[in-house]
Amino acid sequence: MNIFRFAGDMTHLISVLVLLLKIYATKSCSGVSLKTQELYAMVFLLRYLDLFTDFISLYNTVMKIVFVASSLAIVWCMRRHPVVRRSYDKELDTFRHYFLVASCFGVALLVHEKFTLVEIFWAFSIYLEAVAILPQLVLLQRSGNVDNLTGQYVFFLGAYRALYILNWIYRYFTEDHFDRWISCVSGLVQTCLYADFFYYYFISWKNNAKLQLPA
């Protein structure tokens, strides 16, 4: 644990809380990609299989439970909530996310730390998280206008990964055997995918204007 990882965890938590606030306060999921949320649910369910076998710390356990439970709650709301599901932009959320799942699983079978089921699922979750935001970004580009809460959600989600890059750099220089290169490379890819969004987010903030993405 270091300040960069803690800041990354808190930023990630804020992004989830912002999205839950949007859904429960407005009873709307407009502008939110169900496919991205389903990918994140898959990411957390597979990554945190060790929740049943290993205890690292109370903090670690609580954070894992929070991310698993919140991701499932968001998917449930978007699919089953009688009011929220009516606002889902199905016509805009057409990214073929199953290609991402198949591709990431194929890479995980080839590139992993150990050839065990748990380690392959862990690697798969890392690769999948790196690209899980793509359906969300495509949906926002198609819709053009981005409401404030959705924009904040995506911003904090991207900022969390950027902070984790600083965490890995810090650990590389302070730990004797730091070898999380799968996480590092995937994290860099994930952060790069946010570059375009960050640019327009900064422009909208600088001009005090509504966030708009080019179609």
Side-chain angles (χ1 to χ4, degrees), residues 196-210:
D196 190 58
F197 176 86
F198 282 150
Y199 170 77
Y200 288 103
Y201 185 92
F202 174 75
I203 294 299
S204 69
W205 172 80
K206 181 180 178 182
N207 298 329
N208 195 27
K210 185 177 178 63

Side-chain angles (χ1 to χ4, degrees), residues 62-79:
V62 169
M63 293 299 283
K64 288 177 179 179
I65 293 174
V66 167
F67 288 129
V68 170
S70 61
S71 63
L72 292 176
I74 291 168
V75 171
W76 180 87
C77 281
M78 295 184 69
R79 280 193 170 274

Side-chain angles (χ1 to χ4, degrees), residues 84-210:
V84 174
R85 67 180 184 178
R86 296 176 189 168
S87 58
Y88 170 49
D89 301 317
K90 187 175 182 180
E91 294 76 14
L92 298 177
D93 195 20
T94 58
F95 193 99
R96 298 178 179 177
H97 62 322
Y98 44 82
F99 285 129
L100 298 179
V101 175
S103 300
C104 291
F105 188 70
V107 174
L109 288 175
L110 297 173
V111 184
H112 46 261
E113 294 185 354
K114 294 179 182 178
F115 192 70
T116 65
L117 189 63
V118 172
E119 287 297 325
I120 289 175
F121 280 157
W122 178 84
F124 171 54
S125 74
I126 295 295
Y127 299 139
L128 189 59
E129 185 183 14
V131 295
I133 195 62
L134 282 174
Q136 179 66 65
L137 294 177
V138 170
L139 186 153
L140 293 180
Q141 284 190 320
R142 288 175 176 172
S143 64
N145 293 324
V146 183
D147 69 76
N148 184 53
L149 287 176
T150 303
Q152 297 291 340
Y153 161 68
V154 176
F155 171 78
F156 282 116
L157 201 57
Y160 129 73
R161 227 10 157 181
L163 286 167
Y164 254 65
I165 292 176
L166 296 178
N167 159 61
W168 294 321
I169 294 173
Y170 176 85
R171 291 180 62 185
Y172 177 79
F173 286 106
T174 58
E175 296 181 10
D176 294 331
H177 303 288
F178 178 72
D179 57 357
R180 289 288 188 174
W181 62 271
I182 290 179
S183 296
C184 294
V185 173
S186 299
L188 285 172
V189 170
Q190 184 176 353
T191 305
C192 287
L193 291 178
Y194 285 90
D196 190 58
F197 176 86
F198 282 150
Y199 170 77
Y200 288 103
Y201 185 92
F202 174 75
I203 294 299
S204 69
W205 172 80
K206 181 180 178 182
N207 298 329
N208 195 27
K210 185 177 178 63

Side-chain angles (χ1 to χ4, degrees), residues 46-56 60-61 64 118-119:
L46 293 177
R47 181 177 303 171
Y48 299 145
L49 290 174
D50 62 347
L51 196 59
F52 302 101
T53 58
D54 301 319
F55 178 79
I56 299 174
N60 184 272
T61 299
K64 288 177 179 179
V118 172
E119 287 297 325

